Structure formats: structure tokens, C-alpha cells
């Protein structure tokens, strides 16, 4: 019996298992990580081609199945089974290749986990639900373009390999699947920025991907985070921080400015559609902070009166820096859905120049 909660849809067509392993171009010296070996259909083929397969399996029953399948054969000594949740592992074992008929619940966290590895594998061949696979290869302007699309295409190259119909699985899933090949950029080809920084910026920009970046960076909690991180930067670089309250006109002017930023958004899409788009987006791993941002934003829209909270001078400095960066990069009026990876990189580097960080 297969457990749907574990995303157990076993491949019953050996041709597909063969093709997944084939497309990973395994070498006899390769260490392979397979996520979710199940009964071992893909595992045995990978074991025939590689030096070693580390199979990470959440369900102990399946762990026992795959072990039993190779018991007494020469393949047994090349197999290591780790029982557990791959996403909860502090680090994925280092490997040359990653393969998986991916349990659909962990599609997004698995990709993020792989891309953020300091030494990612040379190649990953992964099967996903079709909608998810489409998000991986989406381009700016496409409806499915998301934070996930930008990250994958920034840190790796991604190619669609083949379509797999639902009749190839037992039990058949509700939707069709696709196999993709992801080749992370390695060594000097890997962008020289911290994963968490680039992703931190994308989280803000894609929090509402149909809003202008100016609006995205006017959200109170986003500015508060920029301020917190800027203070850390100042402390590390011996830059004095002025926390005194600004009582001059700048405070009121700044508040009105923020209000206008939020209102100045003539999206074609209403906000609830935005939110729906986000829900199917890659925010299944979104921290509470961003959920709060959405609530705060809605509350602000509802109040419709300029807030006149006193602000510290450092808060005004940060707001000024944010405006300066958005202006100098010429991206203030662009929306995340239209920006390509170079726009985001340009933006990140300009923020760093001003001492503003996102992780
Ligand atoms: N590889 C097999 C095949 O293709 O026939 C099974 C694939 S099945 C879609 C997904 C497998 O991943 C199941 O065996 C399931 O128990 C396992 N799994 C689910 N969540 C997991 C997790 N978080 N970490 C590791 N394995 C997981």
C-alpha cells in the first residue's frame, strides 16, 4: 500500500526510470543522491552506473524495500540508505548527481536546498508535477514567473527533458509530470553573491510581484528589516548610528511619501488575485515575517490616512538610501514579474554599495 501523504507514486514504466538515469550522464566515479527511492526502480539503475548511491527515504517501509531489493547482489555494497526527511537534514550529502521522482510536497524546498549548497552537484535530473516544472523554466513576463524561476536560472541552467503521463505511476497522480535537468553553475561560473542575500531581495520583490519595486520597498516591515540590517552593517564597519527622533518636516513628508507609494499602483489585477497567484507561488516556505507584511499592507490600505509616527534619523537615512538605489538603477517603476536576473543582481549590488543587506 502506498502512502499519499508521502507523495508515493511509484514509477511502473521501466523506460522512464531508465531515461531519468540516462539523462544524468552518470560516470562510474559518481556519487549519486536519490531523494525518495521508494521501492528502488530508479535506484537499481543508478547503482549499475555510479560508484555509490545515497538514497534518502522518509518512509522506513520503503527504506527496507529498497535495501531488500539489492540484498545479496553486487549492487548492495554501493547503496547507502538514510532514513529521514531530506528537507530537515542540516545539509544534503555532497554528491556529483541528484536524482528524484520528487514527492510533490517538497518540490520547492528541495530545489532551494540544492541551489544553496556551497558545492552543489554537477547535475540534477528531477521529476515534478507539470505546473511546477513550468515555473522552473518560466521567463520574465510569463504568468508562472516567480522567485523560484529567478533563483533557478540565476544559479543554474534548467532544461525540460520529457513529459510523463500520469498512467506511468501507481497509483496515478491527479496531474501530469515533467522531467527537468538542472545543471548548477560551478566554480568560477557560480555568481559571486551570497545565496541568502539574492534570495532575500527576491522575497521582497516577489512578495507582490505585480506591484512596482518602489511599492515593494515602501512596505513598513521591509524598511524596518533594511534598517535592522543597516545598523548591523554600521556596527561592523564602525559607522555611527543616529537613533534620535527626527522632529523636522522630513518626518511628515516621508510618511506622506510612503502612503503615496502604496496607493500608486494601477495593477491590472486586483489584490486578491495577486494573493492567489502568490499562494500557488513558491511561498510554501515563506517565513512568518512576510505573512505579516501582507497583513500590514492591507491594514495600511484600509486606514487610508497618512500615519505620522515619529521616525528616527537612521530610519530616514535608510529610506533615503532605498529611494536612491531604486532611482539610480532605474528600476523603481518596474514590477518583479518583468525583471530579469540581471535587473535583480544590479539592484542587489546597488543596495550593497549603500550598506543595505537582506539576510
Ligand atoms: N523513486 C520511486 C519511484 O520513482 O518509483 C518513488 C518515488 S515517490 C514519488 C516519492 C518517494 O519519496 C516515496 O518513497 C516517499 O516515501 C519519499 N519521500 C516523501 N517525502 C520525503 C522526504 N521529505 N524526504 C525523503 N523522502 C521522501
Amino acid at each position: 500500500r502506498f502512502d499519499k501523504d508521502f507523495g508515493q507514486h511509484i514509477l511502473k514504466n521501466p523506460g522512464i526510470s531508465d531515461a531519468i538515469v540516462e539523462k544524468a550522464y552518470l560516470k562510474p566515479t559518481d556519487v549519486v543522491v536519490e531523494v525518495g527511492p521508494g521501492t528502488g526502480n530508479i535506484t537499481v539503475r543508478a547503482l549499475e552506473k555510479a560508484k555509490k548511491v545515497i538514497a534518502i527515504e522518509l518512509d522506513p517501509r520503503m527504506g527496507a524495500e529498497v535495501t531488500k531489493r539489492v540484498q545479496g547482489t553486487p549492487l548492495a555494497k554501493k547503496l547507502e540508505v538514510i532514513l529521514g526527511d531530506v528537507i530537515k537534514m542540516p545539509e544534503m550529502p555532497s554528491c556529483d548527481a541528484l536524482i528524484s521522482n520528487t514527492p510533490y510536497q517538497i518540490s520547492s524546498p528541495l530545489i532551494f536546498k540544492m541551489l544553496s549548497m556551497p558545492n552543489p552537484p554537477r547535475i540534477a535530473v528531477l521529476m515534478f508535477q507539470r505546473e511546477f516544472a513550468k515555473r522552473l523554466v518560466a521567463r520574465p513576463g510569463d504568468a508562472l514567473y516567480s522567485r523560484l524561476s529567478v533563483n533557478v536560472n540565476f544559479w543554474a541552467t534548467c532544461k525540460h527533458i520529457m513529459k510523463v503521463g500520469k498512467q506511468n505511476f501507481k497509483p496515478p497522480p491527479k496531474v501530469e509530470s515533467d522531467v527537468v535537468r538542472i545543471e548548477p553553475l560551478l566554480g568560477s561560473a557560480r555568481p559571486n553573491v551570497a545565496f541568502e542575500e539574492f534570495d532575500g531581495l527576491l522575497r521582497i520583490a516577489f512578495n507582490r510581484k505585480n506591484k512596482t519595486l518602489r511599492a515593494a520597498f515602501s512596505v513598513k516591515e521591509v524598511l524596518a528589516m533594511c534598517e535592522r540590517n543597516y545598523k548591523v552593517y554600521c556596527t561592523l564597519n564602525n559607522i555611527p548610528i543616529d537613533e534620535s527622533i527626527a522632529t523636522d518636516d522630513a518626518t511628515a513628508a516621508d510618511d506622506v511619501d510612503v502612503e503615496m507609494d502604496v496607493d500608486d499602483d494601477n495593477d491590472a489585477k486586483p489584490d486578491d488575485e495577486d494573493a492567489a497567484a502568490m499562494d500557488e507561488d513558491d511561498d510554501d516556505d515563506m517565513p512568518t515575517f512576510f505573512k505579516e507584511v501582507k497583513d500590514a499592507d492591507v491594514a495600511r490600505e484600509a486606514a487610508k490616512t497618512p500615519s505620522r509616527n515619529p521616525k528616527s534619523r537612521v530610519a530616514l537615512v535608510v529610506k533615503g538610501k532605498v529611494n536612491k538605489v531604486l532611482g539610480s538603477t532605474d528600476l523603481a517603476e518596474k514590477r518583479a514579474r518583468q525583471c530579469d536576473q540581471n535587473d535583480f543582481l544590479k539592484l542587489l549590488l546597488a543596495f550593497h554599495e549603500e550598506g543595505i543587506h537582506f539576510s
Side-chain angles (χ1 to χ4, degrees):
R1 280 201 307 115
F2 299 118
D3 192 329
K4 282 198 184 150
D5 290 345
F6 289 156
Q8 286 173 354
H9 297 283
I10 302 300
L11 259 175
K12 60 176 193 187
N13 178 346
I16 311 272
S17 310
D18 278 339
I20 288 176
V21 173
E22 188 80 9
K23 297 293 180 186
Y25 305 124
L26 296 179
K27 300 178 195 163
T29 49
D30 279 344
V31 173
V32 177
V33 164
E34 185 190 3
V35 172
T39 55
N41 294 330
I42 299 173
T43 327
V44 286
R45 285 164 176 82
L47 282 166
E48 283 159 8
K49 303 250 170 183
K51 184 171 101 180
K52 180 176 181 178
V53 174
I54 304 171
I56 306 172
E57 175 57 62
L58 183 59
D59 183 351
R61 289 179 321 146
M62 291 294 175
E65 282 276 332
V66 67
T67 306
K68 203 169 86 192
R69 186 155 173 178
V70 295
Q71 223 167 32
T73 77
L75 300 181
K77 62 177 189 312
K78 296 208 246 173
L79 174 67
E80 177 185 345
V81 176
I82 300 180
L83 288 182
D85 183 336
V86 67
I87 302 307
K88 293 198 179 133
M89 292 171 78
E91 273 175 33
M92 193 137 67
S94 100
C95 60
D96 302 292
L98 175 71
I99 51 177
S100 183
N101 167 9
T102 315
Y104 65 93
Q105 310 92 318
I106 62 163
S107 303
S108 186
L110 181 65
I111 296 258
F112 279 101
K113 194 154 185 116
M114 177 187 73
L115 294 176
S116 62
M117 284 169 84
N119 292 304
R122 179 184 76 236
I123 194 165
V125 178
L126 305 167
M127 180 143 59
F128 295 113
Q129 297 196 340
R130 185 152 304 159
E131 278 298 293
F132 185 85
K134 281 186 183 165
R135 284 169 49 199
L136 292 176
V137 293
R139 295 283 175 249
D142 292 351
L144 293 173
Y145 189 58
S146 67
R147 174 184 144 232
L148 176 77
S149 330
V150 186
N151 266 314
V152 169
N153 294 288
F154 184 69
W155 299 103
T157 57
C158 181
K159 196 168 181 294
H160 180 268
I161 299 284
M162 63 176 173
K163 296 182 171 184
V164 181
K166 48 185 154 183
Q167 72 284 359
N168 292 295
F169 302 88
K170 189 180 166 194
K174 289 204 182 77
V175 293
E176 311 291 341
S177 299
D178 279 335
V179 177
V180 297
R181 182 168 57 225
I182 300 174
E183 293 180 75
L185 301 173
L186 302 175
S188 58
R190 192 168 162 85
N192 191 18
V193 293
F195 185 88
E196 294 71 22
E197 278 295 307
F198 190 67
D199 190 43
L201 174 90
L202 294 181
R203 280 175 186 275
I204 294 169
F206 279 93
N207 191 24
R208 294 284 183 83
K209 71 175 177 182
N210 296 313
K211 301 235 171 199
T212 60
L213 291 174
R214 186 159 58 95
F217 279 92
S218 294
V219 173
K220 201 172 92 190
E221 283 73 10
V222 170
L223 286 169
M225 184 196 71
C226 292
E227 185 185 330
R228 273 195 308 279
N229 291 351
Y230 179 66
K231 285 185 198 165
V232 174
Y233 166 85
C234 288
T235 308
L236 293 174
N237 291 282
N238 291 323
I239 299 167
I241 304 167
D242 186 352
E243 303 241 38
S244 66
I245 299 299
T247 48
D248 49 29
D249 285 342
T251 312
D254 178 65
D255 275 350
V256 173
D257 184 27
V258 170
E259 187 66 27
M260 281 168 55
D261 284 348
V262 174
D263 280 347
D264 178 25
D265 178 46
N266 39 14
D267 280 353
K269 270 184 166 189
D271 272 2
D272 51 348
E273 250 186 70
D274 254 14
M278 269 200 67
D279 287 344
E280 41 179 77
D281 219 47
D282 42 318
D283 57 346
D284 39 0
D285 55 343
M286 189 172 273
T288 327
F289 164 70
F290 284 91
K291 299 204 169 107
E292 283 164 8
V293 168
K294 276 195 255 177
D295 293 346
D297 209 11
V298 170
R300 180 184 283 265
E301 292 268 27
K304 288 284 174 207
T305 49
S307 67
R308 303 221 169 241
N309 295 335
K311 284 204 168 64
S312 69
R313 289 196 188 275
V314 64
L316 293 180
V317 165
V318 167
K319 173 83 178 143
K321 281 175 175 287
V322 168
N323 287 342
K324 181 178 160 195
V325 166
L326 291 173
S328 69
T329 52
D330 227 7
L331 290 168
E333 302 310 320
K334 263 185 123 173
R335 291 151 207 271
R337 63 160 193 246
Q338 309 161 316
C339 293
D340 63 20
Q341 60 195 58
N342 287 329
D343 291 329
F344 291 117
L345 181 59
K346 186 166 87 172
L347 195 59
L348 182 65
L349 296 178
F351 272 118
H352 284 178
E353 280 286 306
E354 292 297 326
I356 301 216
H357 293 81
F358 302 99
S359 61

